[in-house]
């Protein structure tokens, strides 16, 4: 593809919005989801105790939720990083552009 000025357009333009979150941010997000799940589980167990003599079927539902939620929370927390299929390849598939020659004041240019 050519631009109006006659220059050849670079087809490989990458946007930073397509990049993954950093590892630290990902771990914090998973920890946050786990803590929220455990808070919901704690509320379900407390609700079981509070409703046991009031509404036994609702208390049993809360008890089952309190029993199943730790397993689900651990599976979700350990799911790992998200897979982003739209990220650019890490391998260069075309020839790298030529580099500039050393400038006149370059320390490595000893003629």
């Amino acid at each position: 593809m050519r631009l109006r000025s006659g220059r050849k357009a670079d087809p490989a333009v990458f946007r930073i919005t397509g990049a993954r979150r950093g590892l630290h941010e990902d771990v914090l997000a998973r920890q946050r989801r786990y803590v929220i799940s455990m808070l919901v589980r704690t509320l379900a167990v407390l609700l079981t105790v509070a409703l046991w003599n009031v509404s036994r079927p609702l208390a049993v539902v809360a008890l089952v939720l309190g029993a199943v939620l730790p397993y689900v929370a651990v599976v979700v927390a350990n799911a790992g990083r998200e897979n982003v299929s739209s990220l650019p390849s890490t391998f260069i598939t075309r020839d790298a552009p030529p580099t500039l020659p050393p400038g006149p004041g370059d320390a490595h240019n000893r003629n």
Side-chain angles (χ1 to χ4, degrees):
M1 174 189 336
R2 293 201 176 267
L3 299 176
R4 288 184 185 189
S5 62
R7 292 185 305 135
K8 192 174 180 182
D10 186 17
V13 177
F14 303 112
R15 297 178 189 262
I16 192 66
T17 56
R20 283 198 257 193
R21 290 187 299 194
L23 180 60
H24 181 69
E25 292 175 13
D26 186 61
V27 169
L28 286 177
R30 287 190 281 144
Q31 287 174 344
R32 189 177 318 117
R33 285 192 304 264
Y34 181 77
V35 168
I36 290 170
S37 297
M38 288 299 102
L39 287 173
V40 171
R41 182 215 183 212
T42 303
L43 290 174
V45 170
L46 291 174
L47 192 62
T48 299
V49 172
L51 292 176
W52 192 256
N53 289 329
V54 177
S55 175
R56 184 98 14 122
L58 192 56
V60 170
V61 170
L63 182 64
V64 169
L65 178 68
V68 173
L69 200 56
Y71 173 75
V72 173
V74 168
V75 169
V76 169
N78 291 331
R81 299 188 75 176
E82 72 275 0
N83 292 327
V84 180
S85 61
S86 63
L87 290 177
S89 173
T90 56
F91 299 104
I92 299 175
T93 58
R94 59 186 173 107
D95 293 343
T99 59
L100 294 174
D106 191 2
H108 297 0
N109 189 8
R110 298 181 184 179
N111 289 346

